[in-house]
Amino acid sequence: MFSGILATILELAAVGLVLATLALVMQTCGALFLRDRPFAISSHRPSISVLIPAHDEEMDIQATVYRIKEELTPNDRLLVIADNCADRTALLATQAGAEVVVRNDRDRPGKGFALAAGLRHIATMPPEIVLFIDADCQTSPGGIELLARACYAAKGPVQGLDLMVANPRVPASPRSRLAEFAWRIKNDLRPTGYARLGLPCHLLGTGMAMPWRLVRPDLFATGHLAEDMLFGLELALAERPPRFFRAARVTSYFPDNQRGQSQQKERWVQGHLGLIISHLPRLIYQGLQRRDIGLLALAADIAIPPLGMLALANMLLLSSCLAHMVLAGSIVPVAVAALASCLFLFSLATAWHLCGRDLIGLNEVKQLPRHIIMVMRPIMKLARGQRMPWIRAERIGRPRLPH
């Protein structure tokens, strides 16, 4: 009897893993086999307000402000929210020609609260389109106006391509290349695949645009660790799902030190897992009730755990099913677990072919176990009840990104 119960548990776990991997397969196949769909660009140049949340960003803020101001007209606004800063961010932003809101509220840290303060500030003279750009990001030439025009034509939220790359001043390592590859999968390949299938995407925190009429400052006023994805999911539930617009790009550097990388990874992983718990059931229920494929697609996407966690889950489950087959002769759990592993390996191989051949070789593959352990640390902390507060990842000095 115990063997039968164990077999059922393993089968259910394997089926769950297959379902969690199918969305990844859909995205990689969409990116591999389909072409980009046309994305309308408005001939009307809307009025723009660019919001830049900045917490201790004195190294980057002036260059970022100067770069963005080149694309703005006198009818546009550029607002820096100096959020709980202990450096010269506000002063340098003002000297560069930005409007500045200084927010000091140690009891409510987080990017979401900073954005809410900025939105309330511009509400007296609202623009047609609001853009959100992080202080350490470099926008592609013409990207601000292009993103705004695309958002105006879409009449809904639009997410540009958000890339993070390794700092060229820091010697490249297999670990940093793995992190960059994982970022390309998450923020480029997966939303590209969905876009080519005609499906929505998540908001990614920077390089996102929104019509003012959809803005709700109260929605932004949150200390959630994955506030960007939260905003996008709430908009999708309100029947305004974000669309992916790859032609506009923002780029930034990964944190330069191991502590900063760990902080950033921990915040992302715990925030993502929190959204799985809070929003996955709602998305599935509303998607089925409305017969909304877009909501179900977003549900399937957030159900995909971090890739390191997904790889570990596949290895552990397949090993457990093989052991159970040897001891009890049950073949079904092994077959389903093998299917999940094959789907995952196919997705990884496709991703490597499309966007990883310049990054991933044998040396990087050897570092996979350490990379998986790094991903699992925040998950184990969360399982022990150690929730991470919203903190900015530590960085050291770095050069500006190339245009």
Side-chain angles (χ1 to χ4, degrees):
M1 181 177 177
F2 175 76
S3 176
I5 294 173
L6 182 58
T8 301
I9 293 173
L10 291 174
E11 288 171 14
L12 291 174
V15 169
L17 207 53
V18 168
L19 294 176
T21 311
L22 278 177
L24 186 59
V25 172
M26 285 177 54
Q27 291 163 340
T28 53
C29 285
L32 179 63
F33 296 116
L34 301 180
R35 294 182 178 180
D36 289 331
R37 295 181 174 224
F39 203 117
I41 305 297
S42 174
S43 59
H44 168 66
R45 202 283 192 185
S47 60
I48 302 170
S49 285
V50 179
L51 266 60
I52 304 178
H55 173 67
D56 292 344
E57 294 284 0
E58 65 178 10
M59 288 187 296
D60 295 309
I61 193 62
Q62 282 195 320
T64 300
V65 169
Y66 286 139
R67 173 68 178 173
I68 292 175
K69 279 178 66 68
E70 292 176 358
E71 297 190 44
L72 302 183
T73 70
N75 294 324
D76 300 326
R77 300 174 71 178
L78 174 55
L79 178 68
V80 172
I81 306 100
D83 186 58
N84 289 318
C85 292
D87 65 358
R88 300 183 299 156
T89 295
L91 173 63
L92 295 176
T94 301
Q95 291 176 348
E99 292 182 64
V100 176
V101 169
V102 177
R103 176 180 174 269
N104 290 309
D105 188 347
R106 303 290 176 180
D107 294 329
R108 296 194 303 169
K111 182 178 173 182
F113 289 116
L115 292 177
L119 292 171
R120 294 189 184 104
H121 180 80
I122 65 172
T124 55
M125 296 179 60
E128 291 175 282
I129 302 295
V130 183
L131 267 66
F132 304 89
I133 306 292
D134 282 354
D136 60 345
C137 285
Q138 182 82 18
T139 58
S140 56
I144 296 293
E145 181 174 334
L146 190 60
L147 192 59
R149 288 181 183 268
C151 181
Y152 188 84
K155 297 180 172 61
V158 172
Q159 174 63 58
L161 174 60
D162 171 22
L163 292 179
M164 290 191 80
V165 299
N167 188 334
R169 290 179 57 183
V170 177
S173 66
R175 183 173 178 177
S176 65
R177 292 192 184 98
L178 282 170
E180 190 169 338
F181 178 50
W183 190 268
R184 288 183 187 181
I185 294 174
K186 178 179 179 293
N187 280 22
D188 188 0
L189 182 140
R190 287 169 57 180
T192 294
Y194 259 9
R196 291 177 178 178
L197 290 165
L199 297 171
C201 69
H202 294 290
L203 291 179
L204 303 175
T206 184
M208 53 189 193
M210 194 178 303
W212 176 259
R213 59 187 176 80
L214 298 182
V215 168
R216 291 165 39 202
D218 59 306
L219 172 62
F220 286 78
T222 175
H224 198 284
L225 298 180
E227 76 290 324
D228 44 5
M229 291 178 67
L230 174 65
F231 304 153
L233 292 177
E234 289 295 334
L235 287 166
L237 288 166
E239 301 184 1
R240 296 293 182 182
R243 295 180 60 190
F244 186 58
F245 183 59
R246 196 174 186 272
R249 184 185 70 251
V250 294
T251 311
S252 59
Y253 289 131
F254 282 107
D256 312 280
N257 55 75
Q258 186 171 342
R259 177 178 170 81
Q261 293 173 12
S262 298
Q263 289 173 337
Q264 196 172 64
K265 176 65 71 175
E266 185 171 346
R267 190 177 76 232
W268 289 338
V269 170
Q270 289 200 6
H272 185 176
L273 294 178
L275 284 176
I276 291 176
I277 296 170
S278 65
H279 279 68
L280 183 58
R282 288 177 61 196
L283 289 167
I284 294 174
Y285 174 76
Q286 293 290 339
L288 292 174
Q289 187 180 52
R290 301 179 195 172
R291 298 181 182 178
D292 189 330
I293 298 298
L295 282 182
L296 293 175
L298 288 176
D301 187 78
I302 67 166
I304 302 172
L307 290 180
M309 180 179 177
L310 189 57
L312 182 61
N314 272 282
M315 290 187 291
L316 292 177
L317 183 62
L318 186 58
S319 300
S320 300
C321 290
L322 285 170
H324 185 264
M325 183 184 71
V326 171
L327 296 174
S330 181
I331 299 177
V332 175
V334 173
V336 182
L339 174 61
S341 295
C342 288
L343 291 173
F344 178 65
L345 290 174
F346 166 79
S347 298
L348 275 187
T350 303
W352 176 82
H353 173 74
L354 291 174
C355 62
R357 285 179 289 178
D358 60 324
L359 289 172
I360 304 302
L362 183 60
N363 288 336
E364 286 71 35
V365 172
K366 292 178 180 178
Q367 291 295 315
L368 274 174
R370 294 183 63 184
H371 186 73
I372 292 172
I373 291 172
M374 181 181 174
V375 173
M376 291 304 298
R377 283 175 181 166
I379 297 171
M380 297 305 297
K381 287 184 178 180
L382 187 61
R384 294 195 299 265
Q386 299 178 17
R387 296 183 179 274
M388 182 181 185
W390 207 109
I391 57 173
R392 173 184 176 274
E394 289 184 8
R395 293 170 171 87
I396 59 176
R398 62 213 151 181
R400 291 302 298 166
L401 287 151
H403 292 186

